Amino acid sequence: MRYDFGSDNTAGMAPAALQALIEANDGYARAYGADEATARAADQIRRRLDADAEIRFVFSGTAANAIGLSMLAWPHEAVLAHHAAHVCTDETGAPGFFGSGVGLIGLPGLSGKIDPLALNAALDEPEVGHRQPPAALSLTQSTEYGTVYTEEELRHLIEPVKLKGYGVHLDGARLANAAAAGFDLTQIARLGVDVLVFGGAKAGANCTEAIVMFDRSLARRIDNRLKQAGQTASKARYLAAPFLGLLETNAWEDGAAHANLMAQRLAEGFAVGSRFALAHPVEANAVFVRMPPEAHRRLNDLGWACYRFDDGSVRFVCSWATTVEAVDELLEAVRGL
């Protein structure tokens, strides 16, 4: 089975990330995040965001999201999110686990983007003592369906939430792809996001993500929280170094731009050279295709790993490592179905 398009998680580490990991392994360094590589990587993130934020590196996006949400809602409260968001569909209740009972309220919206009318309706719901009221909003950039929020779209979602005094979390597992598509990272803090997950794994790092806290009051005893959650690395430089390599060489952006370009090539091939229709706009590194089960099975039987998504479409994901040759081979196989 070929996993070229199964997920951007199936690609290995980008050379710049791997080289930085090798360099960080040389000699001795202070433990628990007090090392030089961790400090430099955090500064690289702050520079891109143009914000003086508190930053910690953790082992997974699931933990980063769940711990971030636990900062914004009490156990008797809930978080508003798109119903197809990773926190709702793929984290096995982690937000509730890390948040000691924090709930999730799924909202509709086309192509992974929350419908502002649905959000406002949820915010206007009367509070009663028998269900968890919303206390925060979780957004995903780029979305689970490969679309990218514009600054204006985010503003229309964030402003009514902030007027309520609620918190805002941004899942940026594929933030690099959104940036490569033209999204201005410096707007994240200015729009009112409180906690950001700055993605590393899907951008070419190993299994590492960064929790970015723009509201520094949220970082009170953060190291105790992370230790209790099993997210404190004694040799923290191994979490930060891949970020450092990607960011100091601009491979974080360049790899995402390449992935987006490969997705566009793949989408054009489906649109022009196949009988299968695109299910969503292709704005980042994912392509969703309307494909009957029999055709999907035949493609899998030919050795191409691709998976049916929540809406019934088949998802193909490009990464920093996707080659033009692989895209063209896949399209040739699709034309033969």
Side-chain angles (χ1 to χ4, degrees), residues 151-333:
E151 179 188 336
E152 194 63 21
E153 287 173 329
L154 289 175
R155 191 181 308 281
H156 285 308
L157 295 173
I158 292 173
E159 282 186 351
V161 170
K162 301 301 282 191
L163 285 173
K164 286 274 191 177
Y166 299 164
V168 178
H169 157 267
L170 182 63
D171 179 353
R174 295 187 175 95
L175 187 62
N177 301 99
F183 177 66
D184 183 358
L185 299 180
T186 66
Q187 295 304 312
I188 296 174
R190 295 173 187 139
L191 284 166
V193 172
D194 298 292
V195 182
L196 163 70
V197 176
F198 192 99
K202 292 175 172 61
N206 50 358
C207 300
T208 180
E209 309 289 309
I211 302 176
V212 181
M213 294 155 280
F214 297 106
D215 179 355
R216 283 181 172 269
S217 69
L218 297 174
R220 180 176 179 269
R221 295 178 175 170
I222 182 61
D223 295 313
N224 306 83
R225 184 185 298 234
L226 293 176
K227 184 72 172 184
Q228 186 183 63
Q231 292 298 314
T232 299
S234 56
K235 298 183 179 182
R237 67 187 188 273
Y238 297 131
L239 294 182
F243 267 108
L244 182 61
L246 291 172
L247 295 171
E248 285 195 336
T249 64
N250 290 317
W252 190 79
E253 293 90 348
D254 293 344
H258 172 78
N260 290 7
L261 185 63
M262 292 299 98
Q264 288 294 332
R265 184 182 184 93
L266 184 60
E268 290 167 7
F270 269 110
V272 175
S274 83
R275 60 189 179 90
F276 306 114
L278 298 176
H280 301 280
V282 179
E283 297 173 351
N285 65 319
V287 179
F288 292 82
V289 179
R290 298 293 180 199
M291 184 177 289
E294 176 59 21
H296 181 209
R297 184 191 65 77
R298 288 175 60 196
L299 193 59
N300 286 163
D301 288 345
L302 289 171
W304 293 97
C306 51
Y307 304 101
R308 195 165 294 278
F309 216 63
D310 299 352
D311 69 333
S313 63
V314 176
R315 186 187 77 165
F316 302 84
V317 186
C318 299
S319 73
W320 69 268
T322 302
T323 64
V324 170
E325 292 76 17
V327 171
D328 292 345
E329 286 179 42
L330 172 60
L331 290 172
E332 184 63 29

Side-chain angles (χ1 to χ4, degrees), residues 82-173:
H82 193 279
H83 65 78
H86 204 270
V87 295
C88 291
T89 64
D90 290 283
E91 296 189 353
T92 321
F97 177 77
F98 282 92
S100 303
V102 166
L104 295 167
I105 300 172
L107 299 175
L110 296 176
S111 300
K113 294 182 177 181
I114 294 173
D115 183 342
L117 294 177
L119 172 64
N120 286 317
L123 293 173
D124 290 339
E125 281 281 323
E127 289 190 18
V128 298
H130 302 287
R131 58 177 178 264
Q132 291 170 297
L137 171 67
S138 178
L139 297 162
T140 307
Q141 181 77 316
S142 59
T143 73
E144 299 295 341
Y145 283 104
T147 54
V148 178
Y149 282 108
T150 65
E151 179 188 336
E152 194 63 21
E153 287 173 329
L154 289 175
R155 191 181 308 281
H156 285 308
L157 295 173
I158 292 173
E159 282 186 351
V161 170
K162 301 301 282 191
L163 285 173
K164 286 274 191 177
Y166 299 164
V168 178
H169 157 267
L170 182 63
D171 179 353

